[in-house]
Structures are given as structure tokens and as C-alpha cells.
Amino acid sequence: MEPSKIHALLLVCMLFLSTAAPIFGCGSCGKPPPKKVKPGSGSKPPKGPIVPPITLPPVVKPPIKIPPVPLPPVKPPIDLPPIVKPPIKIPPVPLPPVKPPIDLPPVVKPPIKIPPVPLPPVKPPIDLPPVIKPPIKIPPVPIPPVTVPPVTAPPKQEQNKV
């Protein structure tokens, strides 16, 4: 906002505030209420002759009896018949008509022709020379002679005849 508009706005606000002060005032804050002066309590002497105070006898009130309040008679409970609600019939909901199925024509796919894959040229077979294995000579294994120890029988004991 421009400065001139701000100054005009502040001036208008000040005018509103100055007119609102008496409206919001309550009136009790302005002047204090005047004090009441009791007669005879001031500095002036009372007029007339001085009379001694008079004492009155106490007033006796008779006792008040409240009559008993009769209670209304108690009635037996009233059994109300059960409320039977009529059965609610729901009307049938009509179904929308079913349209016949739509037969779509078959989708015909064009035949896919796979081009032949050319095979690489076959080279003539390579003849490898036969592998000749040298003869392997197995050296003879010397078998040591097997010697069997002689079997000796234990000596026979003679039997004593009795």
C-alpha cells in the first residue's frame, strides 16, 4: 500500500475508536454513589424528649402440625398385549432383459513363414593319422619261495592200568 493510504486508514481507525469509548463505558465507573445519612447518627442532637428503651415480652408461637399427605393407591401393573407387526412383503425386483450374446468373428492370424536358416558350409572330413601306442613291457615280478615249517605232534602219554 502507498503511504498516503496507510495514513488515511490510521485516521479512520482513530475516529472509530474515539466514538466507541462512550458506547463501551458502563456508567458505574464515572461517579461514586451518594452516601445515605441516617437520621440521628449525624452531629445534630435528636429532637424531642429522651425516652427509655421499651422491652417487649417474647412472642410465643403455637407449634404448627403438618397434616399427613395421603399417598395415592398403588395400582397393579398393567400387562399390555404384545404388538404384532404384520409381515413386510418385499416386491420382486425386475431384472433387466438379458441381451443375446454377441458372436464375434474369429480372429484369423496370417500364416507366419519362417525363412530357412542357411547352414554353414560343411568342410570335408579331416583324416587324422592313427595314434600308435608303443608296446608296454611289464617286468616279471619275482615271487619268493614259500616255505612251510614242519609240523610236530605233541608226545603221547601212556595210560596207567589199574
Side-chain angles (χ1 to χ4, degrees):
M1 292 177 77
E2 296 177 19
S4 61
K5 289 183 180 180
I6 293 175
H7 291 290
L9 183 64
L10 287 175
L11 180 65
V12 170
C13 289
M14 288 173 35
L15 287 173
F16 281 136
L17 287 175
S18 65
T19 57
I23 295 172
F24 293 122
C26 62
S28 65
C29 301
K31 297 178 182 177
K35 293 183 180 180
K36 296 182 181 179
V37 179
K38 294 182 180 178
S41 65
S43 59
K44 296 181 182 180
K47 297 179 182 178
I50 299 174
V51 180
I54 301 171
T55 58
L56 296 174
V59 178
V60 179
K61 296 180 181 178
I64 300 173
K65 289 184 178 180
I66 299 173
V69 179
L71 294 173
V74 178
K75 294 181 180 178
I78 300 172
D79 291 336
L80 295 175
I83 299 172
V84 178
K85 295 180 181 178
I88 299 173
K89 291 182 179 177
I90 301 172
V93 179
L95 294 173
V98 179
K99 294 181 180 178
I102 301 172
D103 292 337
L104 294 175
V107 179
V108 178
K109 295 180 181 177
I112 300 173
K113 291 182 178 178
I114 301 174
V117 179
L119 295 172
V122 179
K123 294 181 179 179
I126 301 173
D127 291 336
L128 293 175
V131 178
I132 300 172
K133 295 180 181 178
I136 299 174
K137 290 183 179 180
I138 301 174
V141 179
I143 299 174
V146 178
T147 57
V148 179
V151 178
T152 58
K156 294 184 178 181
Q157 295 179 356
E158 292 183 21
Q159 295 180 352
N160 296 331
K161 295 183 182 178
V162 183

